[in-house]
Amino acid sequence: MAKHEELPIPVYASLDPVYGNGSQLEEASLRFDRIKAKFLELFGRDPEVFARSPGRVNLIGEHIDYEGYSVLPMAIRQDTIVAIRRNKGEKVIRIGNLNDGKYPLCTYPADPDQEIDLKNLKWGHYFICGYKGFYEYAKSKVVDTGDLVGLDILVDGTVPTGSGLSSSAAFVCSSTIAIMAAFGVNFPKKELAQLTCECERHIGTQSGGMDQAISVMAKIGFAELIDFNPIRATDVQLPDGGSFVIAHSLAESQKAVTAATNYNNRVVECRLASIVLGIKLGKKPEEAVSKVTTLSDVEDLCVTFAGSHGSTDPVLAVKELLKEEPYTAEDIEEITNQSLESIFSSSPTSLDVLKAAKHYKLHQRAAHVYSESRRVHAFKDTVSSNLSDEDKLKKLGDLMNDSHYSCSVLYECSCPELEELVKICRDHSALGARLTGAGWGGCAVALVKESTVPQFILNLKEHFYQSRIDRGVINKNDLGLYVFASKPSSGAAIFKF
């Protein structure tokens, strides 16, 4: 029997395999009806096929996927739906949105070689990421896509943007899958996860692959331990009696816009930390620069060093070999015998980081990555242990709290609003709470006892959201969009009605 990640994206003729039954199914049916009606209004014909991909909440394992380490997310019910039809009359890509007041119609040439202007990003460029990626992949697999044709597309997303819940990955994944379905082909989930990760790099983000992997490979009722190189997913059954509540800090995280100073900056700092550690642990500078790209590449060296000091923790090597004070570019160049520009010469987004950076905190970033990767496996080991469900939940909460401290203090990817929200969660009975997603805004995730969820959400409303409602930051009637409980939901799907 094929492994889960080797199966193609499922194709359904009805909504219930994804949306279940009851009110959630009714809501989804109405939504698809609205999408079909808007598509007909815009383009004069019905869509041929629909694709959907969910957002995700990362339970633990932040900023370590791009360093090659496992992460532990779950899909949420909020998703992005893309309706699509080939248009053989015009070689134009027309992308509409159900929320056309916020997202106006975008038009692009039907040209997979077109460049995306990173200095002038538009919402439709996320679809173009998937479009370019599909053609690159099809070419590599010698898939005949025929002559170039136009595409008519309508998008509807319920994953809040800038929330840290992977609205961009849900959009890119659903777009890629919709294009694939429109051309009558289907690829294995693990290949789609890798493809869509590479797609998002067209928008200028050096993504590690977690967001795309869980969106494509999620299963109802399970969180997933996502491993990389190669990509694979292991089901993780969460203990009974607990529920995850996701709460938006209302500080929007603009990952693509602030990449040079935030997200991509940390990718560069981790690469530099891994190179310097490699050199300190015996590699020649030119070998370290050419062969070491992630902290996972030098973990074995760090563990060997720790072993000579009576430990197995790679963080010991970080403490001994990387100074806590920030490194200047000159400090690092003296160790590597190369300019930073030459080290990153093949990565324009990394060169943007170098232009913006004043210094590099190598010690703190490496300490976070190594300790966070251990917390991920401690989380999974706890779930599968013989502890009582109550003791499991307490241990998982402790790990989430430790993760937030590391993200906030060592990785510095929090913000004042997230710090306030996480504290309020803990003050009102959360077993654990942490920022989730890239950080610098977006959401927190809290583990609470299932029986206390309604009261917990009321407490968040009173102590965090009410003052923002009073100031007009959000509308009281929209609160359910910003704070909600979630169970593990299903992954990407194709619908043909």
Side-chain angles (χ1 to χ4, degrees), residues 1-10 137 186-193 213 216-217 219 230-234:
M1 185 175 173
K3 293 179 181 176
H4 175 58
E5 61 265 21
E6 292 170 355
L7 296 171
I9 301 297
Y137 184 82
N186 204 334
F187 305 132
K189 292 178 182 180
K190 65 179 182 181
E191 294 184 24
L192 266 168
V216 169
M217 297 197 283
K219 289 164 71 174
I231 290 179
R232 62 185 184 275
T234 304

Side-chain angles (χ1 to χ4, degrees), residues 233-303:
T234 304
D235 295 344
V236 176
Q237 181 83 61
L238 299 167
D240 290 335
S243 186
F244 290 99
V245 173
I246 299 160
H248 201 314
S249 69
L250 305 181
E252 201 161 302
S253 174
Q254 300 279 358
K255 191 162 88 171
V257 176
T258 62
T261 53
N262 291 342
Y263 190 94
N264 289 352
N265 170 275
R266 299 303 187 269
V267 178
V268 165
E269 287 182 311
C270 287
R271 171 92 193 275
L272 292 173
S274 65
I275 290 170
V276 172
L277 279 170
I279 294 167
K280 299 266 187 183
L281 290 165
K283 286 185 179 291
K284 293 179 179 177
E286 58 272 22
E287 180 193 7
V289 168
S290 64
K291 294 187 177 176
V292 173
T293 58
T294 66
L295 284 160
S296 57
D297 291 337
V298 293
E299 183 186 7
D300 286 348
L301 289 174
C302 290
V303 170

